[in-house]
Amino acid sequence: VQLQASGGGLVQAGGSLRLSCAASGRLFSSSVINWFRQDPGKEREFVAAIRWGYGTTVYADSVKGRFTISRDTAKNAVYLQMDTLKPEDTATYYCARSTSPGDKPGPGYNWGPGTLVTVSS
């Protein structure tokens, strides 16, 4: 299953953006779709996750209360609604599949280009 992130852009601090993650192929109920982000020179960090079949969600403390992850099973897509954005949210955002929330795929995983979010102060 290939995942493709989109929807990034430039926004002022306090603004909102909605990212999309389109999945090609079938997702199983037990699949977890994660959002990660990475700033140049930093480690890729976990942002949020949703279990495909149940809709249960997990968030990093840094985005809790500001970001909302959701999924549309009919469209085979996962979304990340980002509100009250801060300059420190600036990063390239990626979506990736795993079996547990926050687990990063192993070496060799094709992360794709991601989608760049830039929050200006």
Side-chain angles (χ1 to χ4, degrees):
V1 176
Q2 296 293 319
L3 301 176
Q4 180 70 45
S6 63
L10 174 63
V11 64
Q12 288 189 330
S16 299
L17 274 178
R18 187 195 194 208
L19 305 185
S20 298
C21 175
S24 63
R26 182 183 174 186
L27 290 169
F28 294 97
S29 299
S30 59
S31 293
V32 175
I33 306 300
N34 303 271
W35 284 99
F36 292 91
R37 66 186 181 188
Q38 186 171 26
D39 216 6
K42 295 184 180 178
E43 292 283 323
R44 203 181 315 253
E45 65 171 354
F46 170 74
V47 176
I50 189 165
R51 194 167 291 276
W52 183 254
Y54 309 101
T56 50
T57 58
V58 178
Y59 296 93
D61 287 343
S62 58
V63 306
K64 207 171 288 185
R66 300 188 298 120
F67 290 11
T68 304
I69 189 171
S70 62
R71 91 265 196 247
D72 186 330
T73 55
K75 294 184 178 180
N76 229 31
V78 171
Y79 306 99
L80 186 69
Q81 177 66 40
M82 305 187 297
D83 298 317
T84 320
L85 281 160
K86 303 176 181 179
E88 51 263 44
D89 294 318
T90 295
T92 299
Y93 284 70
Y94 304 86
C95 51
R97 185 168 59 110
S98 70
T99 54
S100 294
D103 279 1
K104 292 181 185 176
Y109 180 78
N110 181 6
W111 286 89
T115 188
L116 177 62
V117 172
T118 304
V119 184
S120 62
S121 55

